[in-house]
Amino acid sequence: MTKRKINIAIDGHSSAGKSTMAKALAKELNFVYVDTGAMYRAAALFCIKERLVESNEIDSKKIDQAVDRMYIGFKYNPKTEQPEVHLGGVNVEQEIRSMEVAKKVSLVAAIPRIRHKLVELQQRIAENGGVIMDGRDIGTVVMPKAELKFFITADAKVRAERRVAQLRVTNTDIQFDDVLNNLVERDRIDSSRAVSPLRQADDAVVLDNSQLTPEEQFEFLLSHARKAMASE
Ligand code: DC
């Protein structure tokens, strides 16, 4: 019988580089990468398309009814060598990265019925181990028994600068202040919501990457992962 692989949880603030690191680690260790932020973004896109979040108000009763029609999942794309998020069978990996979705996602992610549905799905994906999952509540709620947990953060201005550079590749109109305000606001909503707020798990390894190069960060995470795998 082959040994069960460990699970790795990566939580932290918006745009702290969690997914870049998680993808690189998954590739190096041959684990499955699960981007739970993409799932909440797909849920936000669903709510936008269904006109359930017209203003900053949400109609939670209508959303409760609509959630049964919300099909979110991943399909592996051999070209990018990554799982990509699908909504109702349609690949929405690009569409969910828009500012429109970014502005609504924290509101949608605070809805208990939506969290319940997505957490269930995330736990099913992680059942057999070998998963690196990134998000906000992975080490605390989704995989409280994960063998290794990271909490990644960085100075808000550094995070905004990195995000602007990423977004400007496809959209030259992106404003620094817009991005900074959006991520500070998302951190605030994500940390203060009633259901599964963003919180560092007591047993998480904390990494502030404000002053680190991607290579330095990767080495730090990889050395912890190798140690955790060896001790299983
Ligand atoms: O990681 P991201 O920025 O793509 O996540 C988008 C939003 O989804 C983020 O503002 C908070 C929410 N989220 C969450 O509430 N729980 C998770 N496990 C992952 C993301």
Side-chain angles (χ1 to χ4, degrees):
M1 209 177 80
T2 50
K3 216 171 108 185
R4 182 187 182 276
K5 282 187 186 171
I6 67 168
N7 278 329
I8 301 177
I10 305 186
D11 290 303
H13 291 110
S14 293
S15 302
K18 301 183 294 295
S19 61
T20 308
M21 285 298 124
K23 273 184 203 162
L25 264 190
K27 195 165 179 195
E28 177 72 24
L29 301 171
N30 203 17
F31 276 40
V32 172
Y33 166 58
V34 183
D35 178 355
T36 66
M39 297 168 84
Y40 286 98
R41 284 170 181 268
L45 183 62
F46 172 81
C47 291
I48 293 168
K49 285 188 190 286
E50 296 271 326
R51 301 191 175 282
L52 299 167
V53 278
E54 298 277 73
S55 58
N56 267 355
E57 293 294 309
I58 38 172
D59 184 336
S60 41
K61 206 159 160 215
K62 265 200 199 150
I63 287 185
D64 282 358
Q65 289 163 352
V67 166
D68 291 336
R69 291 184 273 116
M70 181 181 85
Y71 298 104
I72 291 173
F74 289 97
K75 276 190 199 145
Y76 182 76
N77 180 344
K79 264 197 208 148
T80 56
E81 299 183 338
Q82 294 295 339
E84 293 183 344
V85 74
H86 284 62
L87 172 65
V90 177
N91 188 327
V92 291
E93 189 62 38
Q94 290 306 315
E95 213 177 338
I96 58 165
R97 310 288 163 195
S98 69
M99 275 308 274
E100 190 192 4
V101 170
K103 283 181 177 157
K104 300 285 181 220
V105 64
S106 285
L107 275 178
V108 172
I111 302 167
R113 184 86 172 73
I114 293 215
R115 296 207 75 81
H116 184 79
K117 178 159 179 163
L118 296 186
V119 167
E120 224 173 54
L121 183 58
Q122 290 153 8
Q123 288 178 331
R124 238 181 297 138
I125 298 173
E127 234 163 39
N128 299 320
V131 160
I132 298 184
M133 198 176 278
D134 81 344
R136 306 293 189 288
D137 58 343
I138 311 305
T140 51
V141 175
V142 180
M143 309 199 302
K145 293 194 178 140
E147 288 81 355
L148 179 60
K149 299 176 186 175
F150 291 111
F151 189 90
I152 304 188
T153 189
D155 178 78
K157 282 198 176 142
V158 174
R159 286 188 278 134
E161 270 160 23
R162 292 176 184 157
R163 189 89 188 105
V164 165
Q166 252 176 11
L167 290 169
R168 283 207 176 131
V169 174
T170 49
N171 182 354
T172 45
D173 292 339
I174 293 295
Q175 299 300 317
F176 176 83
D177 284 350
D178 228 16
V179 172
L180 178 63
N181 292 339
N182 173 257
L183 69 88
V184 169
E185 180 61 2
R186 280 201 286 145
D187 287 347
R188 189 189 66 73
I189 303 178
D190 295 342
S191 308
S192 59
R193 69 174 171 233
V195 191
S196 329
L198 167 64
R199 190 172 62 74
Q200 183 188 317
D202 295 336
D203 51 351
V205 177
V206 181
L207 173 67
D208 181 329
N209 65 27
S210 309
Q211 309 288 336
L212 297 181
T213 64
E215 292 74 23
E216 287 167 334
Q217 264 193 89
F218 181 69
E219 280 313 314
F220 176 89
L221 300 176
L222 185 61
S223 69
H224 277 277
R226 291 216 189 282
K227 233 187 278 163
M229 288 164 76
S231 66
E232 279 305 305

